[in-house]
């Protein structure tokens, strides 16, 4: 890191900047094909009366002005007083600019005194996160499988209604339509469904007043149930469909290999139901139990069905204490595409156990958690993803009432301490990164955006448990990253922000007549570990991204990415979402 603490004279300032530029050039800062603006802000916008920070990569800029787009007037002008810092992951010299005093609602852009062009426009307003959240949640409706989908961004008839076949014996299954298409293609996976449903349920449970019937305009709107619960039911009903009579849940429903681009209803390729896996079964058991509680008053019949399914799934797990299949699920030799393999199912079992305990009060499940919670190799928290649900389980345990019968205070205090250490490590990484997000050097792999938001989820939980406001603020920093305050300068969310992703790998969007992709989907983001055509886009991992349809390795959305965004965006949406903030 290169920093300087004081600038006593103009000549010293120039000398310092010149040295930084030379060092940056020697490090290869300009070796990238990505065109990035010099002013990096959340180009969706900021809430009034919150911190408003942007970043400048023009090394010679000394002053910035905030300009009202409608009037052309300068609303705020300020010297750039922050120390320039070298961002190694991006190859940039970065200086922070602070315009937190800008609280008046409106549209703005930022101009530097070097006249190197203005920033993208951004909004200041109370409802911007609510409006964004509506579109993010609506994107799940637009990913639905097995039903007709209608929207201004594109429509298709009911899809994938043909009976799927079991992969190993070709016996037709009665029906596995439903759920959500996983990503830019039309396969469906139990593990990403469970992960996404868990986040959506937690999002609702933590602030039910934010979610109303008619929130984001879906066919079920006006049925008296908040739209987010209607959408959660779509995912849960599909998981129920792929639960076997023995309680196990099939890992995925997919075709054997990619078969070209087409609209969902034009896909006649045979779909297959693959083996049961214990990771799919345990993840589903956890969300069945969560869902049973959510729907107990709203839809008692559905709640009871979920209750039975959760217990049935646990029976399967109980009878199969070793990972099923042994070594985790893998694609057969003639099957290509998404595998979602996972060799360790303990994290999913812990998640299932704690949620089943909350559903039933049976200490058998609490005992399972308390005996097994520390059996991971590093005995610690780990960023949540479809592959690792331990944090879901740990936070759920820490939120138990301390008068809960059977609660082991040694376990509780151990997790309490570990959770604080973990949160501090995320906070320290966030603060040390000049762009204020927490990805490690080796975390720019497929879906890096969801990892960054997974850390935001963790920081929010830590704030709820430990009360440190810095955790909450660092979580919001990750939201700013997603909407353009990043080394690329792009909003990684389709249709949101003044410089959003425009060409994601998303077949439905690409084949409709609408010029823009369906809004509200989060793409995977920078990926330095896998390269299209074996060529990196940039020398720097944080810039190894391009807004290009064919580059699905960095530019494909997925429901689990979007669900993580939805949780974090939902947490920060304020005031509560109402019908006035619908699409």
């Amino acid at each position: 890191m290169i920093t300087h603490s004081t600038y006593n004279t103009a000549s010293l300032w120039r000398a310092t900047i010149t040295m930084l530029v030379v060092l940056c050039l020697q490090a290869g800062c300009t070796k990238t094909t990505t065109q990035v603006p010099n002013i990096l802000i959340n180009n969706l916008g900021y809430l009034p009366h919150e911190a408003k920070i942007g970043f400048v990569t023009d090394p010679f800029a000394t002053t910035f002005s905030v300009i009202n787009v409608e009037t052309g007037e300068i609303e705020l002008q300020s010297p750039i007083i922050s120390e320039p810092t070298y961002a190694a992951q991006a190859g940039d010299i970065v200086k922070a600019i602070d315009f937190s005093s800008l609280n008046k609602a409106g549209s703005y852009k930022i101009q530097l005194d070097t006249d190197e062009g203005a920033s993208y426009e951004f909004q200041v307003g109370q409802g911007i996160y609510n409006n964004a959240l509506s579109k993010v949640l609506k994107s799940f409706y637009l990913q639905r499988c097995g039903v007709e989908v209608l929207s201004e961004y594109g429509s298709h008839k009911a899809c994938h209604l043909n009976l799927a076949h079991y992969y190993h014996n070709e016996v037709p299954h009665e029906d596995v339509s439903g759920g959500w298409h996983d990503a830019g293609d039309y396969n469906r996976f139990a593990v990403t469904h469970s992960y996404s449903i868990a986040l959506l349920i937690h999002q609702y449970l933590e602030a039910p007043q934010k979610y109303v019937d008619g929130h984001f305009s879906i066919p079920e709107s006006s049925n008296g149930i908040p739209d987010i619960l209607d959408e959660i039911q779509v995912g849960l009903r599909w998981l129920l469909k792929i639960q076997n009579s023995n309680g196990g849940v099939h890992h995925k429903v997919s075709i054997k290999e990619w078969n070209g681009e087409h609209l969902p209803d034009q896909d006649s390729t045979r779909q297959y139901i693959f083996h049961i896996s214990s990771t799919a079964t345990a993840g589903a058991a956890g969300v069945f139990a969560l869902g049973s509680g959510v729907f107990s008053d709203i839809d008692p019949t559905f709640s009871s069905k979920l209750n039975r399914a959760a217990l049935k799934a646990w029976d399967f797990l109980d009878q199969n204490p070793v990972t099923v299949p042994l070594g985790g699920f893998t694609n057969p030799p003639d099957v290509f595409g998404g595998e979602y393999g996972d060799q360790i199912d303990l994290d999913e079992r812990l998640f299932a156990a704690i949620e089943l305990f909350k559903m039933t009060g049976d200490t058998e499940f609490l005992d399972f958690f308390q005996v097994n919670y520390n059996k991971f190799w590093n005995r610690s928290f780990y960023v949540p993803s479809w592959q690792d649900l331990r944090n879901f389980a740990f936070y759920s345990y820490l939120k138990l009432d301390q008068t809960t019968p059977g609660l082991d205070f040694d376990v509780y205090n151990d997790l309490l301490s570990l959770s604080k250490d973990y949160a501090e490590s995320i906070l320290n990484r966030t603060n040390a990164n000049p762009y204020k997000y927490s990805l490690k050097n080796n975390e720019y792999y497929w879906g890096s955006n969801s990892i960054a938001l997974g850390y935001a989820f963790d920081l929010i939980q830590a704030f709820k448990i430990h009360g440190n406001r810095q955790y909450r603020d660092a979580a919001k920093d990750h939201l700013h990253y997603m909407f353009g305050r990043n080394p690329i300068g792009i909003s990684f969310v389709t249709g949101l922000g003044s410089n959003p992703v425009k060409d994601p790998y998303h077949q439905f969007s690409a084949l409709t007549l609408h010029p823009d992709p369906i809004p509200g989907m989060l793409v995977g983001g920078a990926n330095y570990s896998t390269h299209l055509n074996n060529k990196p886009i940039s020398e720097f991992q944080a810039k190894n991204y391009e807004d290009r349809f064919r580059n699905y390795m960095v530019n494909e959305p997925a429901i689990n990415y979007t669900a993580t965004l939805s949780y974090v965006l939902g947490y920060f949406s304020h005031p509560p979402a109402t019908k006035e903030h619908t699409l």
Side-chain angles (χ1 to χ4, degrees):
M1 179 180 293
I2 305 168
T3 61
H4 292 267
S5 59
T6 60
Y7 303 96
N8 296 322
T9 65
S11 60
L12 178 59
W13 172 267
R14 283 289 176 183
T16 299
I17 293 299
T18 301
M19 182 190 71
L20 285 168
V21 171
V22 169
L23 290 172
C24 188
L25 288 172
Q26 289 174 347
C29 297
T30 61
K31 294 179 181 178
T32 177
T33 59
T34 304
Q35 296 299 312
V36 180
N38 287 323
I39 308 165
L40 302 162
I41 43 87
N42 178 335
N43 59 69
L44 173 68
Y46 300 82
L47 297 176
H49 310 293
E50 72 161 12
K52 301 175 187 68
I53 305 296
F55 299 113
V56 172
T57 58
D58 180 346
F60 298 108
T62 61
T63 304
F64 73 94
S65 302
V66 181
I67 300 168
N68 188 309
V69 172
E70 294 181 1
T71 66
E73 295 180 355
I74 295 176
E75 296 283 350
L76 173 69
Q77 191 171 66
S78 175
I80 300 172
I81 60 175
S82 73
E83 300 173 352
T85 307
Y86 181 61
Q89 293 177 344
D92 293 332
I93 298 169
V94 179
K95 293 179 286 186
I97 56 174
D98 189 337
F99 44 103
S100 300
S101 61
L102 181 72
N103 295 322
K104 185 171 71 174
S107 297
Y108 301 93
K109 61 183 178 180
I110 294 174
Q111 182 82 48
L112 301 177
D113 59 328
T114 50
D115 197 28
E116 292 291 330
S119 72
Y120 289 103
E121 291 184 20
F122 63 94
Q123 305 289 315
V124 173
Q126 194 75 311
I128 55 171
Y129 288 175
N130 294 336
N131 293 331
L133 178 61
S134 294
K135 292 184 179 181
V136 168
L137 287 168
K138 179 70 172 280
S139 75
F140 281 91
Y141 162 69
L142 297 171
Q143 288 289 95
R144 286 191 194 180
C145 180
V147 296
E148 183 180 36
V149 168
L150 301 172
S151 84
E152 63 181 291
Y153 291 93
S155 303
H156 67 76
K157 297 177 182 177
C159 59
H160 303 104
L161 298 178
N162 293 335
L163 299 181
H165 291 65
Y166 287 101
Y167 175 80
H168 287 90
N169 59 17
E170 294 285 309
V171 176
H173 191 280
E174 143 182 358
D175 176 25
V176 288
S177 62
W180 304 297
H181 300 137
D182 186 68
D185 60 359
Y186 305 130
N187 296 325
R188 286 161 291 159
F189 304 89
V191 291
T192 56
H193 268 68
S194 293
Y195 176 80
S196 301
I197 292 165
L199 284 164
L200 294 177
I201 290 177
H202 282 303
Q203 178 179 341
Y204 172 78
L205 286 176
E206 291 176 13
Q209 72 277 9
K210 292 185 179 182
Y211 304 97
V212 296
D213 188 20
H215 182 182
F216 47 95
S217 184
I218 55 177
E220 295 83 1
S221 293
S222 302
N223 66 355
I225 298 173
D227 288 355
I228 191 172
L229 295 185
D230 289 319
E231 204 59 54
I232 287 167
Q233 278 194 314
V234 169
L236 287 170
R237 290 187 189 282
W238 183 71
L239 286 177
L240 289 170
K241 276 190 175 183
I242 63 168
Q243 184 176 32
N244 192 279
S245 58
N246 66 4
V249 174
H250 291 273
H251 193 78
K252 68 173 182 172
V253 175
S254 78
I255 58 178
K256 286 187 175 182
E257 59 183 322
W258 179 77
N259 59 350
E261 281 94 21
H262 37 253
L263 288 169
D265 56 299
Q266 296 172 1
D267 182 12
S268 58
T269 307
R270 177 176 289 182
Q271 293 203 322
Y272 291 89
I273 305 162
F274 288 84
H275 275 311
I276 290 168
S277 75
S278 53
T279 53
T281 303
V287 294
F288 288 156
L290 269 171
S292 179
V294 170
F295 290 101
S296 59
D297 294 329
I298 296 169
D299 188 341
T301 300
F302 185 57
S303 173
S304 296
K305 190 173 185 179
L306 292 171
N307 182 298
R308 293 192 297 272
L311 293 170
K312 196 173 182 180
W314 186 264
D315 286 343
F316 176 89
L317 296 169
D318 195 38
Q319 294 167 24
N320 295 273
V322 179
T323 303
V324 178
L326 195 63
F329 179 87
T330 56
N331 277 336
D334 63 337
V335 175
F336 305 92
E339 180 177 83
Y340 290 91
D342 186 356
Q343 297 180 348
I344 301 171
D345 66 6
L346 177 58
D347 51 294
E348 287 86 4
R349 289 177 187 257
L350 289 173
F351 170 60
I354 196 65
E355 299 306 337
L356 278 158
F357 170 67
K358 288 185 172 182
M359 182 183 79
T360 65
D362 189 335
T363 55
E364 167 199 352
F365 302 113
L366 184 63
D367 291 343
F368 179 91
F369 178 95
Q370 293 175 158
V371 168
N372 293 285
Y373 84 98
N374 62 352
K375 291 184 177 178
F376 298 101
W377 70 271
N378 58 354
R379 194 183 146 272
S380 68
F381 285 67
Y382 193 82
V383 62
S385 70
W386 62 264
Q387 197 172 34
D388 200 319
L389 304 185
R390 77 179 79 173
N391 286 12
F392 285 0
F394 291 167
Y395 296 132
S396 191
Y397 182 85
L398 286 173
K399 291 173 185 176
L400 289 173
D401 191 304
Q402 293 189 43
T403 63
T404 299
L407 185 74
D408 187 324
F409 281 97
D410 288 337
V411 172
Y412 184 90
N413 289 327
D414 187 35
L415 283 173
L416 196 64
S417 176
L418 288 170
S419 69
K420 186 172 183 179
D421 291 345
Y422 175 65
E424 286 293 317
S425 70
I426 304 171
L427 178 64
N428 291 337
R429 281 203 313 277
T430 302
N431 289 337
N433 188 319
Y435 280 107
K436 300 302 177 191
Y437 64 97
S438 60
L439 285 177
K440 303 173 188 175
N441 290 339
N442 63 351
E443 288 178 328
Y444 291 91
Y445 45 72
W446 204 313
S448 65
N449 281 343
S450 69
I451 299 302
L453 282 173
Y455 285 127
F457 171 85
D458 287 327
L459 287 163
I460 290 168
Q461 304 314 304
F463 171 65
K464 288 175 175 290
I465 294 167
H466 300 285
N468 186 341
R469 178 79 182 197
Q470 293 182 77
Y471 300 154
R472 182 185 183 278
D473 293 342
K476 188 178 286 185
D477 281 328
H478 290 74
L479 199 59
H480 293 316
Y481 173 91
M482 294 303 149
F483 287 114
R485 205 185 71 178
N486 56 57
I488 307 296
I490 195 170
S491 168
F492 289 116
V493 189
T494 56
L496 292 175
S498 58
N499 183 38
V501 170
K502 295 180 177 66
D503 198 20
Y505 184 79
H506 189 254
Q507 294 183 50
F508 178 30
S509 291
L511 296 173
T512 63
L513 297 178
H514 200 283
D516 298 318
I518 67 173
M521 301 182 298
L522 178 69
V523 298
N527 178 1
Y528 202 68
S529 61
T530 305
H531 303 141
L532 190 67
N533 301 324
N534 295 316
K535 293 180 66 176
I537 300 162
S538 169
E539 296 295 324
F540 299 95
Q541 60 263 58
K543 290 184 177 176
N544 212 67
Y545 169 84
E546 60 182 347
D547 186 11
R548 178 184 172 193
F549 178 72
R550 285 294 176 197
N551 200 340
Y552 48 85
M553 295 177 180
V554 300
N555 214 34
E556 184 175 18
I559 57 170
N560 50 302
Y561 306 164
T562 301
T564 319
L565 171 66
S566 181
Y567 175 89
V568 179
L569 189 58
Y571 178 79
F572 287 109
S573 65
H574 181 79
T578 65
K579 291 185 179 180
E580 284 71 33
H581 294 118
T582 60
L583 293 180

